[in-house]
Amino acid sequence: MDAFFASAEQASKPSLRGKAVVVGGLGPRGVVATASYEARVFGVHSAMPMAQARRLAPNAAYLVPRFGFYRSISEQVMALLRALSPLVEPLSLDEAFVDLEAGGAAWDEGSARLVGEKLRADIRAVTALTGSVGLAASKMLAKIASEQAKPDGLVVIDPGTERELLGPMSVRILPGVGPATGDHLRRAGIHTVEEIVEAGEDELVRLLGKAHGHGLYAMALAHDERPVVAERETKSVSVEDTYDVDIHDRLRVGMEVQRLADRCVRRLRGAGLSGRTIVLKVRRYDFSTLTRSETLRGPTDDPAVVREAAARLLESVDTTGGVRLLGVGVSGLADYTQEDLFAQAAGDLGELPEEEPGEVAAEKDEAPVERRWVAGHDVTHAEFGHGWVQGSGLGRVTVRFETPDSEPGRVRTFRVDDASLAVAEPLPLVAVGGGVAASGLRPDSCSHPHHP
């Protein structure tokens, strides 16, 4: 899924089509989650500090993510993939592998191409977004093919051509080669995949260790035997917030940990899970990160138990100098709750507070930017209908009133407490002008190792 968040926003907001759009945390410490192609022209890219993005593209539209909206689109695409094969491996909202042979959908290059083209057409029809597909004999190569297919394309890597294709590519193209490994290889004079092969397996083992060296050398030879795994077991549930200004007050740190514990339990319950191990994460003013954990006698989804455990863990952490990030998680998951753990919490069990209107979930490590009127989020007005927040401040909120199938809408400004204005749910996307609203969905596709 290429520039997925930004493409989905362009599709749902007619006034942003063809414009630079940046999605991410809007606070001083926010980072870019996704930038549209139009924004990338100015050098904006994902994981960039939002302050730097604003300097590069001051006239772009800056929006807070709508994760629920993106998830709903992702689920539509995943359903299309599961119709092709029982072996679908979602890696995130914007990436998935499919074993086409397992479902009998494809058995040679010709049938694989037909499946890929039909998938792209189905994505266009169902989501109003375009898609690109990569087809190859392994997961690694399918991923590379999907990148080559962008935007709105299909690429097949023919068996027997893999080594020639990979040779001149940067070592960073290989799975498991991040910035640290890439720098380590570069210092050894290894910049391309072919140079990994030339260096030899023994040298890779010497540089990176036995397991990593063996694995990387095999990848450089285009050997990737990793199967498509249909179900990935959830190992933990967690939430975390990054704060615009370091928190120095110990009392407020404690209150934030309690709030995060409640949010974590809401997410835990929403997944129908409970857990035995409570985890606290603290990133201090100097960027040092501390993690503390406590394992209970059995699994729980009781907010009071999680709050108490998180508070105990916080007691062992020195927050002198300030805190820039806090997180609470639960691991050791189970699909049941051990009732006698309730006794660990003093007093009543307590009810979880409701989510605040407009609160942004912590998937992107970003604290809520607005309590109610969040840039890019949906609203409705008693007179003007559906719209989205362009910005707010000084007691005012600016709204552009438009829908996915309307013309670019008009902008109006209201008092933040205007009773006629309310938070709304996103509207579904629709095709525009016989084409598509925006480009963006790129599910990677992978076949069995014995056919394209």
mmCIF file of all heavy atoms in Angstrom, residues 291-312:
data_model
loop_
_atom_site.group_PDB
_atom_site.id
_atom_site.type_symbol
_atom_site.label_atom_id
_atom_site.label_comp_id
_atom_site.label_asym_id
_atom_site.label_seq_id
_atom_site.Cartn_x
_atom_site.Cartn_y
_atom_site.Cartn_z
ATOM 1 N N THR A 291 12.804 -0.080 30.525
ATOM 2 C CA THR A 291 11.636 -0.966 30.493
ATOM 3 C C THR A 291 11.605 -1.782 31.782
ATOM 4 O O THR A 291 12.634 -2.354 32.182
ATOM 5 C CB THR A 291 11.691 -1.918 29.287
ATOM 6 O OG1 THR A 291 11.782 -1.147 28.087
ATOM 7 C CG2 THR A 291 10.436 -2.771 29.217
ATOM 8 N N ARG A 292 10.455 -1.812 32.426
ATOM 9 C CA ARG A 292 10.266 -2.588 33.642
ATOM 10 C C ARG A 292 9.049 -3.487 33.445
ATOM 11 O O ARG A 292 8.078 -3.096 32.772
ATOM 12 C CB ARG A 292 10.038 -1.681 34.849
ATOM 13 C CG ARG A 292 11.187 -0.727 35.139
ATOM 14 C CD ARG A 292 12.373 -1.461 35.734
ATOM 15 N NE ARG A 292 13.446 -0.543 36.142
ATOM 16 C CZ ARG A 292 14.448 -0.172 35.363
ATOM 17 N NH1 ARG A 292 14.520 -0.653 34.116
ATOM 18 N NH2 ARG A 292 15.393 0.647 35.798
ATOM 19 N N SER A 293 9.063 -4.686 34.039
ATOM 20 C CA SER A 293 7.928 -5.586 33.892
ATOM 21 C C SER A 293 7.656 -6.329 35.185
ATOM 22 O O SER A 293 8.550 -6.504 36.031
ATOM 23 C CB SER A 293 8.178 -6.592 32.756
ATOM 24 O OG SER A 293 9.277 -7.427 33.063
ATOM 25 N N GLU A 294 6.410 -6.768 35.328
ATOM 26 C CA GLU A 294 5.989 -7.546 36.489
ATOM 27 C C GLU A 294 5.020 -8.621 36.004
ATOM 28 O O GLU A 294 4.062 -8.309 35.283
ATOM 29 C CB GLU A 294 5.299 -6.647 37.518
ATOM 30 C CG GLU A 294 4.707 -7.401 38.704
ATOM 31 C CD GLU A 294 3.989 -6.490 39.684
ATOM 32 O OE1 GLU A 294 4.474 -5.355 39.904
ATOM 33 O OE2 GLU A 294 2.935 -6.891 40.217
ATOM 34 N N THR A 295 5.282 -9.864 36.389
ATOM 35 C CA THR A 295 4.418 -10.968 35.984
ATOM 36 C C THR A 295 3.487 -11.360 37.126
ATOM 37 O O THR A 295 3.945 -11.631 38.248
ATOM 38 C CB THR A 295 5.255 -12.182 35.551
ATOM 39 O OG1 THR A 295 6.069 -11.807 34.428
ATOM 40 C CG2 THR A 295 4.359 -13.339 35.133
ATOM 41 N N LEU A 296 2.194 -11.386 36.843
ATOM 42 C CA LEU A 296 1.174 -11.722 37.833
ATOM 43 C C LEU A 296 1.010 -13.235 37.934
ATOM 44 O O LEU A 296 1.603 -13.997 37.169
ATOM 45 C CB LEU A 296 -0.146 -11.067 37.442
ATOM 46 C CG LEU A 296 -0.099 -9.561 37.172
ATOM 47 C CD1 LEU A 296 -1.446 -9.075 36.654
ATOM 48 C CD2 LEU A 296 0.306 -8.793 38.426
ATOM 49 N N ARG A 297 0.165 -13.671 38.852
ATOM 50 C CA ARG A 297 -0.050 -15.108 39.036
ATOM 51 C C ARG A 297 -0.844 -15.729 37.892
ATOM 52 O O ARG A 297 -0.824 -16.939 37.685
ATOM 53 C CB ARG A 297 -0.789 -15.349 40.357
ATOM 54 C CG ARG A 297 0.071 -15.074 41.584
ATOM 55 C CD ARG A 297 -0.748 -15.204 42.845
ATOM 56 N NE ARG A 297 -1.767 -14.174 42.929
ATOM 57 C CZ ARG A 297 -2.716 -14.137 43.870
ATOM 58 N NH1 ARG A 297 -2.776 -15.097 44.765
ATOM 59 N NH2 ARG A 297 -3.599 -13.157 43.899
ATOM 60 N N GLY A 298 -1.567 -14.914 37.150
ATOM 61 C CA GLY A 298 -2.371 -15.404 36.039
ATOM 62 C C GLY A 298 -2.845 -14.239 35.205
ATOM 63 O O GLY A 298 -2.625 -13.075 35.549
ATOM 64 N N PRO A 299 -3.514 -14.504 34.100
ATOM 65 C CA PRO A 299 -3.938 -13.429 33.197
ATOM 66 C C PRO A 299 -5.073 -12.590 33.769
ATOM 67 O O PRO A 299 -5.926 -13.086 34.492
ATOM 68 C CB PRO A 299 -4.382 -14.174 31.938
ATOM 69 C CG PRO A 299 -4.760 -15.531 32.428
ATOM 70 C CD PRO A 299 -3.845 -15.841 33.571
ATOM 71 N N THR A 300 -5.071 -11.306 33.419
ATOM 72 C CA THR A 300 -6.111 -10.391 33.871
ATOM 73 C C THR A 300 -6.429 -9.376 32.786
ATOM 74 O O THR A 300 -5.590 -9.079 31.936
ATOM 75 C CB THR A 300 -5.677 -9.652 35.147
ATOM 76 O OG1 THR A 300 -6.763 -8.833 35.616
ATOM 77 C CG2 THR A 300 -4.488 -8.747 34.877
ATOM 78 N N ASP A 301 -7.649 -8.852 32.815
ATOM 79 C CA ASP A 301 -7.997 -7.682 32.006
ATOM 80 C C ASP A 301 -8.652 -6.629 32.896
ATOM 81 O O ASP A 301 -9.414 -5.790 32.418
ATOM 82 C CB ASP A 301 -8.913 -8.061 30.834
ATOM 83 C CG ASP A 301 -10.286 -8.529 31.299
ATOM 84 O OD1 ASP A 301 -10.477 -8.714 32.533
ATOM 85 O OD2 ASP A 301 -11.182 -8.702 30.459
ATOM 86 N N ASP A 302 -8.327 -6.684 34.190
ATOM 87 C CA ASP A 302 -8.901 -5.758 35.158
ATOM 88 C C ASP A 302 -8.102 -4.458 35.172
ATOM 89 O O ASP A 302 -6.884 -4.476 35.417
ATOM 90 C CB ASP A 302 -8.906 -6.400 36.542
ATOM 91 C CG ASP A 302 -9.350 -5.429 37.618
ATOM 92 O OD1 ASP A 302 -10.192 -4.567 37.317
ATOM 93 O OD2 ASP A 302 -8.840 -5.523 38.748
ATOM 94 N N PRO A 303 -8.734 -3.319 34.924
ATOM 95 C CA PRO A 303 -7.993 -2.055 34.869
ATOM 96 C C PRO A 303 -7.308 -1.708 36.175
ATOM 97 O O PRO A 303 -6.204 -1.163 36.184
ATOM 98 C CB PRO A 303 -9.066 -1.027 34.506
ATOM 99 C CG PRO A 303 -10.366 -1.664 34.870
ATOM 100 C CD PRO A 303 -10.174 -3.125 34.644
ATOM 101 N N ALA A 304 -7.945 -2.034 37.301
ATOM 102 C CA ALA A 304 -7.338 -1.701 38.584
ATOM 103 C C ALA A 304 -6.055 -2.499 38.817
ATOM 104 O O ALA A 304 -5.068 -1.983 39.348
ATOM 105 C CB ALA A 304 -8.336 -1.971 39.713
ATOM 106 N N VAL A 305 -6.039 -3.753 38.414
ATOM 107 C CA VAL A 305 -4.844 -4.592 38.548
ATOM 108 C C VAL A 305 -3.707 -4.036 37.690
ATOM 109 O O VAL A 305 -2.562 -3.923 38.137
ATOM 110 C CB VAL A 305 -5.152 -6.046 38.157
ATOM 111 C CG1 VAL A 305 -3.873 -6.873 38.102
ATOM 112 C CG2 VAL A 305 -6.130 -6.669 39.138
ATOM 113 N N VAL A 306 -4.023 -3.682 36.450
ATOM 114 C CA VAL A 306 -2.992 -3.163 35.548
ATOM 115 C C VAL A 306 -2.489 -1.812 36.047
ATOM 116 O O VAL A 306 -1.284 -1.544 36.021
ATOM 117 C CB VAL A 306 -3.540 -3.057 34.116
ATOM 118 C CG1 VAL A 306 -2.490 -2.440 33.182
ATOM 119 C CG2 VAL A 306 -3.958 -4.430 33.595
ATOM 120 N N ARG A 307 -3.401 -0.953 36.528
ATOM 121 C CA ARG A 307 -2.978 0.344 37.057
ATOM 122 C C ARG A 307 -2.038 0.173 38.245
ATOM 123 O O ARG A 307 -1.012 0.856 38.349
ATOM 124 C CB ARG A 307 -4.201 1.167 37.466
ATOM 125 C CG ARG A 307 -4.957 1.800 36.309
ATOM 126 C CD ARG A 307 -5.902 2.886 36.793
ATOM 127 N NE ARG A 307 -6.936 2.354 37.678
ATOM 128 C CZ ARG A 307 -8.167 2.028 37.292
ATOM 129 N NH1 ARG A 307 -8.506 2.165 36.021
ATOM 130 N NH2 ARG A 307 -9.052 1.594 38.161
ATOM 131 N N GLU A 308 -2.399 -0.722 39.161
ATOM 132 C CA GLU A 308 -1.568 -0.936 40.348
ATOM 133 C C GLU A 308 -0.190 -1.457 39.979
ATOM 134 O O GLU A 308 0.827 -1.015 40.520
ATOM 135 C CB GLU A 308 -2.250 -1.923 41.298
ATOM 136 C CG GLU A 308 -3.286 -1.295 42.208
ATOM 137 C CD GLU A 308 -3.594 -2.181 43.396
ATOM 138 O OE1 GLU A 308 -3.091 -3.325 43.434
ATOM 139 O OE2 GLU A 308 -4.316 -1.734 44.291
ATOM 140 N N ALA A 309 -0.145 -2.430 39.063
ATOM 141 C CA ALA A 309 1.140 -2.992 38.647
ATOM 142 C C ALA A 309 2.001 -1.928 37.972
ATOM 143 O O ALA A 309 3.210 -1.835 38.231
ATOM 144 C CB ALA A 309 0.917 -4.179 37.715
ATOM 145 N N ALA A 310 1.399 -1.123 37.091
ATOM 146 C CA ALA A 310 2.146 -0.067 36.403
ATOM 147 C C ALA A 310 2.685 0.949 37.397
ATOM 148 O O ALA A 310 3.815 1.440 37.257
ATOM 149 C CB ALA A 310 1.256 0.612 35.370
ATOM 150 N N ALA A 311 1.888 1.261 38.421
ATOM 151 C CA ALA A 311 2.333 2.212 39.449
ATOM 152 C C ALA A 311 3.511 1.647 40.235
ATOM 153 O O ALA A 311 4.478 2.368 40.553
ATOM 154 C CB ALA A 311 1.182 2.549 40.382
ATOM 155 N N ARG A 312 3.467 0.356 40.544
ATOM 156 C CA ARG A 312 4.588 -0.265 41.256
ATOM 157 C C ARG A 312 5.857 -0.227 40.402
ATOM 158 O O ARG A 312 6.956 0.027 40.904
ATOM 159 C CB ARG A 312 4.242 -1.708 41.614
ATOM 160 C CG ARG A 312 3.253 -1.848 42.756
ATOM 161 C CD ARG A 312 3.206 -3.283 43.268
ATOM 162 N NE ARG A 312 2.730 -4.227 42.263
ATOM 163 C CZ ARG A 312 1.448 -4.541 42.092
ATOM 164 N NH1 ARG A 312 0.513 -3.942 42.828
ATOM 165 N NH2 ARG A 312 1.093 -5.431 41.187
#
